[in-house]
Amino acid sequence: MNLLQRRLSAGLAIVMTVAMLAGCSGKSGGGSAESTMKAEPSAKASASPSSGQAAPSAKPFEGKTINLVTANHPWADAIKPLIPDFEAATGMKVNVQGYFEDQLTQKLTVQFTAGSETPDVFMYRPLQEGKLFFKNGWLQALDDYVNKDPAYDFADISKSAIGTATVDGKLAGIPIISEQEILYYRKDLLEAAGIPVPKTIDELVAAAKKLHDPGKEMYGFVARGQRSPLVTQVSSFLYSEGGDFMNGDKASINTPEALKAFTTYGTLLKDYGPPGVLNMSWPQAFGIFGQGKVAFLTDANSLYKNATDPSKSQVADKVGFAPFPAGAAGSKPYNITSWGLAINAKSVDKDAAWAFIQWATSKEIVLKTQEKGNPGARTSVWDNPQGTTGFPPELVAVIKESVKGGIDHDRPTVINVGEARDAVGEIVQKIITGETNVQPVADKANEALQAVIDKDKNK
């Protein structure tokens, strides 16, 4: 271990101590979407010589500054009040800027294309832009960083979540938000009808049919029906029937397994969905579920508050959670990293950038962000009762079960994700609108997806 590593380890140990002390004191603070974080007096005192902590001269990054760019996301809201403790312990200043998702991608793309050295650290979506960013040489591979400090315990992070953040065998980022697809259902409706919670896709179809009563504005099933948004949610149907979007570098959305999965999803929406499903993404799907007009919904667990928050849902106290129903290949929901942290490959101080990521994704800090309702990827935090206080107990059990068989992607893993999603979504939308001869549609879409895959080979 060289001098820098020894100082970094010592500094991070101090960070953890300060963070825990701050947590014990119940200290909290606010943060704006675009702000420069300031060290708080209490944090400074905790790290002062008089308090018995390390002297300022021992701070491993005294005088250093990094720039962090986040999405306007609940994780960012949870981490920003903790940053002053990190700054006080390390001597590093962290400048924070926040953007809406699409603005974030645009900003990063513009800056990286221009060869900018900033931001040093940034939030990104591994499955949406991760491959593009990595292939362009914009992301610093982190394989050499994650095992430097055994206390970081990289093996504690879900393998599936790590798989999402891995490109061409290299670790492109560290997971901060994980998601699994689950089944939401109305407890009261199932109980009144004497229907057990569906454990298989066939049981889900039968239950949706039985509870579907459009004359009373009660619909059996809802999910995303818009062409691109539906792709991530049909993926769990696809995996559970034994299919996938790709088999190596070959498109595989016209296989018997794929057609069965797409037909089931599309038929559920066509026969038992509410009016207007073709225009529904998750806000609309959760919206009508929250109005009490739908019996079943399949979508990401991370969105559960849209169903259980009384200010958003009229059936908040009637919502149940269940693992994704099993198909011919079992229950195989996606288990992905929806957001990660990465380092700009041109950052002038990658050690400082990594020190921040190491702290932000440590067990102690993930515990704090997860307590705020941000589902992380560390197994030890999910096994810690304190780490599940931000979630309904029934949902925690479902998440733990879902992680066991999860698949590390929820869309084709290509550079041009948008074109690939359009190809898949086209098949499902045709089924929703009544197409019965699906094979020709799927064959044409498969050719389109293959063209997207082939483009990657030249990059």
Side-chain angles (χ1 to χ4, degrees):
M1 179 179 288
N2 61 32
L3 176 61
L4 178 60
Q5 288 172 323
R6 288 197 297 273
R7 295 179 69 185
L8 176 57
S9 294
L12 288 170
I14 296 169
V15 171
M16 303 313 171
T17 302
V18 173
M20 286 187 287
L21 289 172
C24 292
S25 68
K27 178 166 64 72
S28 62
S32 61
E34 187 168 345
S35 63
T36 298
M37 308 307 298
K38 303 292 185 183
E40 296 181 4
S42 60
K44 289 180 178 177
S46 297
S48 70
S50 61
S51 67
Q53 301 291 332
S57 60
K59 295 179 180 179
F61 295 100
E62 187 75 59
K64 300 276 189 179
T65 297
I66 65 166
N67 293 290
L68 166 68
V69 167
T70 72
N72 289 341
H73 186 279
W75 181 86
D77 296 336
I79 199 72
K80 281 188 282 191
L82 305 176
I83 290 178
D85 301 326
F86 174 79
E87 293 178 312
T90 63
M92 186 193 310
K93 177 182 277 297
V94 181
N95 294 328
V96 184
Q97 290 182 306
Y99 297 88
F100 292 109
E101 291 182 14
D102 291 343
Q103 292 175 320
L104 173 63
T105 301
Q106 184 177 21
K107 174 182 175 58
L108 293 174
T109 300
V110 170
Q111 290 197 217
F112 293 158
T113 300
S116 175
E117 296 172 348
T118 60
D120 300 279
V121 179
F122 53 93
M123 287 178 69
Y124 81 115
R125 296 171 294 181
L127 290 172
Q128 191 64 25
E129 55 256 357
K131 193 165 187 176
L132 171 66
F133 283 10
F134 191 83
K135 289 280 191 180
N136 284 345
W138 298 341
L139 303 186
Q140 175 65 40
L142 301 178
D143 304 81
D144 293 338
Y145 290 91
V146 293
N147 291 313
K148 283 185 176 181
D149 183 358
Y152 181 60
D153 195 4
F154 179 62
D156 184 46
I157 301 176
S158 161
K159 289 183 179 179
S160 183
I162 291 298
T164 301
T166 301
V167 181
D168 294 344
K170 295 292 185 180
L171 183 62
I174 302 296
I176 53 175
I177 297 293
S178 65
E179 287 184 349
Q180 300 83 32
E181 186 166 7
I182 65 171
L183 176 66
Y184 295 81
Y185 65 93
R186 284 279 302 278
K187 293 179 179 178
D188 55 326
L189 297 181
L190 268 63
E191 183 178 351
I195 299 174
V197 178
K199 294 183 179 179
T200 68
I201 293 175
D202 288 344
E203 290 176 359
L204 171 63
V205 172
K209 179 179 180 180
K210 189 170 183 178
L211 294 172
H212 186 64
D213 189 356
K216 296 181 179 178
E217 283 196 288
M218 176 54 64
Y219 305 96
F221 177 82
V222 71
R224 305 181 194 186
Q226 286 186 17
R227 185 167 63 171
S228 180
L230 71 81
V231 174
T232 54
Q233 306 314 306
V234 80
S235 69
S236 298
F237 286 81
L238 178 60
Y239 309 146
S240 296
E241 295 295 355
D244 204 329
F245 298 110
M246 298 160 56
N247 182 4
D249 62 356
K250 299 296 182 184
S252 56
I253 55 174
N254 63 344
T255 64
E257 294 83 2
L259 262 60
K260 182 179 181 183
F262 298 156
T263 299
T264 299
Y265 187 93
T267 303
L268 274 167
L269 289 177
K270 176 174 70 71
D271 290 348
Y272 312 123
V277 291
L278 285 173
N279 297 316
M280 289 188 179
S281 185
W282 71 262
Q284 296 78 24
F286 273 92
I288 195 165
F289 185 80
Q291 292 171 23
K293 296 182 178 180
V294 183
F296 294 102
L297 162 68
T298 53
D299 212 299
N301 60 331
S302 60
L303 298 171
Y304 78 93
K305 288 186 178 179
N306 292 278
T308 61
D309 183 342
S311 68
K312 300 177 181 178
S313 173
Q314 298 173 28
V315 293
D317 60 342
K318 299 179 176 64
V319 177
F321 311 98
F324 191 83
S331 174
K332 293 188 174 182
Y334 62 71
N335 174 25
I336 60 155
T337 297
S338 56
W339 286 97
L341 282 178
I343 295 177
N344 179 356
K346 291 188 178 299
S347 169
V348 296
D349 198 337
K350 296 183 181 65
D351 285 327
W354 169 250
F356 176 80
I357 291 180
Q358 184 174 353
W359 167 79
T361 60
S362 65
K363 293 179 182 177
E364 291 79 3
I365 300 305
V366 171
L367 177 62
K368 292 179 181 296
T369 54
Q370 191 160 302
E371 285 181 297
K372 300 293 184 182
N374 295 286
R378 282 195 172 274
T379 302
S380 64
V381 175
W382 281 109
D383 289 338
N384 182 342
Q386 188 179 346
T388 61
T389 55
F391 302 85
E394 184 183 355
L395 177 58
V396 172
V398 171
I399 291 173
K400 288 184 176 181
E401 183 65 25
S402 301
V403 169
K404 293 178 182 177
I407 305 298
D408 66 5
H409 56 281
D410 64 359
R411 68 203 75 182
T413 51
V414 295
I415 293 176
N416 196 333
V417 179
E419 287 186 13
R421 292 177 70 149
D422 283 347
V424 177
E426 174 74 11
I427 304 171
V428 181
Q429 282 209 324
K430 286 287 187 182
I431 296 168
I432 296 173
T433 54
E435 177 63 59
T436 56
N437 188 14
V438 182
Q439 189 68 56
V441 177
D443 289 343
K444 184 178 179 181
N446 202 63
E447 291 177 5
L449 177 56
Q450 187 62 54
V452 173
I453 296 169
D454 291 341
K455 287 181 185 176
D456 285 7
K457 297 176 182 176
N458 299 320
K459 295 183 179 178

